[in-house]
Structures are given as C-alpha cells and as structure tokens.
C-alpha cells in the first residue's frame, strides 16, 4: 500500500516538467501566430507568468479601445510591435526563451485589477524563475520598463535586450520623408542660386545681417538660450526681475530699442548733414533727437523695473 504513494511522489517532478513543457509549446505557437506578439487574456496571462517558467517575457499593458481615449497607448503600441517583430528574426533556440505579449484592458480587466494598474501603457519584464536563464541575483519579481526615453522603439529594444538571451536585432526603418524633405530643400537651393547669388555678394546684405546679429546677441539672446529661460513669466510678465534673469520677450524688446537708437544715430550722422533743404534738415534733427531721447528714457525705465528701488543712471 505504501508503494503507490511513493511512486506518485517520485513522479511528481516529471509531471511538473511535462506540464511546463506543454505550456511552453503553447506559448511558442501563440507567438508565431501573431508576428511575435501574444495577445493575452486572464488565462493565458497566468500561463505566461507561471511560477515554474524557464522563459522570460516582456508584457505590454495597454488600452487601445477608442472609448478609453488613451493617446499614449496608440503612440507606443507600434514601437512595441516593431520590437517584437524584430525578435522573430532571432534563431529559435534563443527566440523561444523570451516572449513578447500584450494585455488589453478591455480583454483582461481582471489582470489590471489584480496588479493594481491604473495607467497605461506599462511594460513589465518577467525573468525566468527556473533553468539556466534564471537571474544569478535570484530576483524573479517583475521589472517595470522606464519610459524616460520616450515611446520610440530604439530605446525600448536597447533596454529590453538586457533581459533577453541575445540582443534584439531591431533596426529603425528608413525615414523616407526626411530624405524627401532634404532633397526638396536642396532642389530649391540649387534652382535659386542665380537668384540669391547677387544678394550673397552684396556688401549691404552682409552688413545688415551683421548688424541684426549684433543687436540680437547684445540683447541677451545667448543668455536666454543657454539658461533655457521661458518666453515670458507668470501672468504674462515679460520683464524678469534682477540682472541675472531675462525672458525671451525681453530680448526682442531690448534688441528693438537698441536697433531704433542705432538707426537714429546713423540718420543724424550720415543722412541729416547732407540735406540741402534747411527746413527738412531741421525737421530731421528734431525727429531723430526726439527718438533718441524717448528710446533712452524707455531703456532707463526698463532697467529701473529690472532692479526695483534703484536706477542705474540718475541725473542729479
């Protein structure tokens, strides 16, 4: 009588191994039927994440039904599908030890509830719990994928390759739109060479470009770009307090003031003295002197606002 329980006990490991092999065969067939991505429900999810598994898995939790209005889900799904499809090119010896799967909220709502997932998309990596692919650290808990690099397929393949037996052979598709745009720009430039060549050879064109660049740079453009300052502050404020801060709109205003002051000085020194009509000459002297007076007043007021309570220049 004691012989039968003893035989049953000794045969238990073989039964478990046979069951695990059967599950693995089912997963291989499911992956092959859908370009490397297994569509999971609650039952197949439990099979894939079986406690006695000699394989690893990358599981994508999503909500693609239009009623869910999950824009990130729609954006990330093609990347996950592309990486999974790239994995199908790996030889079967390595390919069948790691699976890619997708769990949709409307198909396996119970899985989301069991895991406490309230957002999507989410990717869990389940390491193998048994066999040669079991992590040396012994950690077999699910690992969550970090979306810090966005939803692109390249970073996804790179990170998931840390958990696959061989690197995922993903290659980004050729961006024909970018090549087409570049070709179009080159074509326009080539056809417009004759038109723009006189402009490029003109000293006045280079002089105007140099002056405009100098005005923008001396107004704090690079300061704003290097520090990453916003265009404006809270409540539409465009003047940043203090001389160590500056908004993008402030650069535009200051460069306009500098430009108008420069133009006024140039008109007074290069144009007005050569006027043959005394009345017109007198009018231009009054006009450009008034522009200088007003613009300098605006500039002093701007500095006073930046450094409240003190004025950088005060006439005694």
């Amino acid at each position: 009588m004691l012989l039968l329980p003893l035989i049953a006990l000794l045969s238990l490991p073989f039964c478990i191994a046979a069951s695990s092999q059967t599950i693995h065969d089912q997963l291989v067939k499911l992956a092959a039927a859908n370009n490397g991505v297994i569509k999971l429900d609650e039952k197949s999810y439990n099979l894939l994440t079986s406690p006695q598994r000699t394989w690893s898995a990358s599981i994508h939790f999503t909500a693609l039904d239009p009623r869910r209005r999950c824009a990130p889900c729609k954006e990330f799904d093609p990347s996950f599908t592309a990486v999974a499809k790239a994995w199908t090119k790996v030889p079967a010896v390595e390919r069948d030890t790691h699976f890619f799967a997708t769990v949709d909220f409307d198909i396996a709502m119970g899985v989301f509830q069991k895991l406490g997932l309230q957002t999507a998309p989410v990717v869990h990596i389940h390491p193998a719990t048994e066999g040669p692919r079991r992590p040396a650290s012994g950690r077999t808990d699910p690992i969550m994928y970090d979306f810090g690099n966005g939803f692109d397929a390249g970073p996804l393949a790179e990170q998931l390759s840390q958990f696959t037996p061989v690197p995922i052979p993903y290659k980004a598709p050729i961006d024909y739109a970018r090549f087409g745009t570049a070709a179009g720009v080159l074509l326009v430039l080539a056809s417009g060479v004759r038109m723009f060549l006189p402009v490029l050879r003109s000293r006045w064109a280079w002089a105007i470009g140099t002056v405009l660049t100098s005005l923008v740079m001396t107004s704090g453009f690079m300061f704003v770009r290097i520090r990453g300052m916003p265009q404006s502050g809270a409540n539409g404020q465009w003047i940043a307090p203090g001389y160590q801060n500056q908004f993008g709109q402030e650069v535009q205003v200051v460069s306009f003031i500098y430009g108008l002051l420069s133009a006024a000085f140039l008109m007074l020194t290069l144009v007005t003295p050569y006027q043959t009509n005394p009345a017109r000459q007198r009018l231009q002297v009054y006009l450009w002197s008034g522009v200088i007076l007003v613009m300098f007043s605006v500039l002093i007021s701007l500095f006073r606002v930046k450094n409240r309570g003190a004025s950088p220049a005060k006439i005694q």
Side-chain angles (χ1 to χ4, degrees):
M1 294 294 294
L2 296 175
L3 185 58
L4 290 178
L6 181 60
I7 294 175
L9 183 62
L10 292 175
S11 62
L12 183 60
F14 299 98
C15 295
I16 295 176
S19 175
S20 177
Q21 184 63 32
T22 302
I23 295 174
H24 180 266
D25 293 339
Q26 293 179 16
L27 296 175
V28 170
K29 292 180 181 179
L30 290 174
N34 195 34
N35 286 329
V37 180
I38 303 175
K39 302 293 184 180
L40 298 177
D41 54 18
E42 295 185 32
K43 181 180 179 181
S44 55
Y45 175 82
N46 292 330
L47 292 177
L48 182 61
T49 59
S50 171
Q52 292 85 29
R53 60 179 182 273
T54 57
W55 59 86
S56 56
S58 299
I59 304 179
H60 169 213
F61 298 89
T62 187
L64 295 175
D65 194 294
R67 296 174 299 173
R68 306 303 172 190
R69 298 181 180 179
C70 181
C73 297
K74 295 180 180 179
E75 183 179 354
F76 177 69
D77 185 68
S79 297
F80 187 84
T81 303
V83 173
K85 186 176 181 180
W87 183 245
T88 61
K89 300 176 183 178
V90 174
V93 176
E94 291 88 9
R95 182 183 66 232
D96 295 342
T97 61
H98 186 90
F99 297 101
F100 287 82
T102 297
V103 181
D104 194 285
F105 177 79
D106 291 282
I107 297 176
M109 192 179 301
V111 176
F112 277 76
Q113 294 174 349
K114 181 174 69 174
L115 298 177
L117 296 178
Q118 298 180 352
T119 59
V122 174
V123 175
H124 285 175
I125 300 99
H126 290 256
T129 58
E130 297 178 352
R133 295 208 54 238
R134 175 185 170 88
S137 62
R139 179 184 176 184
T140 58
D141 296 330
I143 302 169
M144 184 175 293
Y145 172 72
D146 181 13
F147 283 98
N149 293 320
F151 294 156
D152 293 337
L156 175 65
E158 183 178 355
Q159 286 199 37
L160 294 185
S161 293
Q162 302 175 16
F163 308 98
T164 55
V166 294
I168 301 172
Y170 172 78
K171 293 183 179 180
I174 299 175
D175 191 350
Y176 292 102
R178 178 179 298 180
F179 284 105
T181 303
V185 171
L186 291 176
L187 183 61
V188 170
L189 292 177
S191 60
V193 166
R194 292 184 178 181
M195 182 185 300
F196 294 112
L197 195 57
V199 177
L200 295 176
R201 289 178 175 177
S202 172
R203 291 180 297 175
W204 284 105
W206 285 102
I208 293 172
T210 302
V211 170
L212 292 178
T213 303
S214 300
L215 288 174
V216 173
M217 293 301 175
T218 55
S219 301
F221 175 77
M222 291 307 299
F223 178 90
V224 172
R225 288 296 301 272
I226 292 173
R227 294 203 172 191
M229 300 295 291
Q231 282 293 311
S232 60
N235 301 322
Q237 180 184 8
W238 60 273
I239 301 178
Y243 293 129
Q244 297 299 319
N245 299 301
Q246 192 172 12
F247 292 137
Q249 290 184 359
E250 196 173 342
V251 173
Q252 301 171 9
V253 173
V254 172
S255 61
F256 173 77
I257 294 174
Y258 285 169
L260 202 53
L261 285 171
S262 302
F265 278 107
L266 288 174
M267 292 300 293
L268 279 176
T269 57
L270 298 180
V271 178
T272 303
Y274 297 99
Q275 294 297 319
T276 58
N277 189 323
R280 182 179 297 177
Q281 188 180 57
R282 188 182 306 110
L283 177 62
Q284 290 192 10
V285 170
Y286 292 152
L287 173 63
W288 296 117
S289 297
V291 170
I292 292 173
L293 179 62
V294 171
M295 286 296 100
F296 262 120
S297 300
V298 173
L299 190 61
I300 295 299
S301 299
L302 178 62
F303 283 121
R304 183 183 293 115
V305 172
K306 288 188 68 65
N307 190 20
R308 296 184 184 279
S311 175
K314 185 175 181 181
I315 300 177
Q316 300 295 336

